[in-house]
Amino acid sequence: MSKFHPVEVMGVRVEMPSNQPIVLLKESDGLRYLPIWLGAVEATAIAFAQQEVAPPRPLTHDLFKDVLGQLGATLNTVHLTELKDGIFYAELIFKDGPTISARPSDAIALALRMGAPILASEALLEEAGIEIPDQAEDEVERFKEFLDQINPEDFLG
């Protein structure tokens, strides 16, 4: 079984010139970053959760969180497991329950809403992770400043 590392969501941004949203995760116990490309709807869902924006009606991930809560299900962790043929894979790990395959974007959006830790496999970090050495910290700071200035509405088509 692969070792898993905790990761934290640094934020979402739109990659130029492709105009493709990405979520950037950082290895909590290391120097690697994991960029995952995702759709605009999922980018918005992650940005809303990070900024604690409460939409007037529940979005899909909010609804799923509410349903799980009503059913008494507890999301223990989210595992970002692998990259196969250019597609990222994740699993929802439930307390006393099943492990369910999910898209990483959905898994991350749900984990943020439910306060569940997000873990990335060593294999995934080896394959898709980008190591950013300490001297590049100013670049990371600029990225964080960019994230602070972006609004979830920027992802809505």
Side-chain angles (χ1 to χ4, degrees):
M1 178 162 173
S2 180
K3 179 180 183 200
F4 284 84
H5 300 268
V7 293
E8 56 187 282
V9 178
M10 301 302 291
V12 290
R13 67 171 284 183
V14 176
E15 190 68 28
M16 294 298 180
S18 67
N19 212 27
Q20 178 74 32
I22 66 166
V23 60
L24 184 67
L25 303 131
K26 181 186 184 301
E27 181 181 22
S28 300
D29 57 0
L31 297 173
R32 293 177 288 189
Y33 289 78
L34 183 63
I36 299 178
W37 283 258
L38 58 159
V41 171
E42 293 79 11
T44 302
I46 291 170
F48 274 8
Q50 273 211 300
Q51 296 178 14
E52 298 179 7
V53 172
R57 298 291 301 140
L59 298 175
T60 304
H61 300 95
D62 302 307
L63 175 63
F64 193 44
K65 173 192 174 213
D66 292 346
V67 168
L68 290 172
Q70 289 298 316
L71 295 174
T74 301
L75 179 63
N76 268 0
T77 56
V78 162
H79 286 176
L80 307 175
T81 56
E82 64 182 330
L83 177 62
K84 192 166 34 177
D85 299 325
I87 298 171
F88 286 90
Y89 289 82
E91 295 177 336
L92 304 174
I93 313 294
F94 287 94
K95 179 183 177 197
D96 303 323
T99 295
I100 298 173
S101 180
R103 297 183 307 175
S105 54
D106 291 328
I108 291 166
L110 190 61
L112 290 173
R113 283 166 173 75
M114 299 189 77
I118 303 167
L119 307 173
S121 73
E122 176 61 32
L124 178 60
L125 286 167
E126 279 291 318
E127 183 173 355
I130 300 165
E131 192 164 315
I132 300 179
D134 289 341
Q135 62 263 33
E137 278 297 314
D138 56 335
E139 183 70 27
V140 174
E141 284 305 313
R142 281 200 297 277
F143 180 71
K144 285 181 182 173
E145 287 172 22
F146 169 82
L147 294 175
D148 289 341
Q149 295 166 12
I150 200 161
N151 292 315
E153 292 80 22
D154 294 339
F155 296 105
L156 300 175

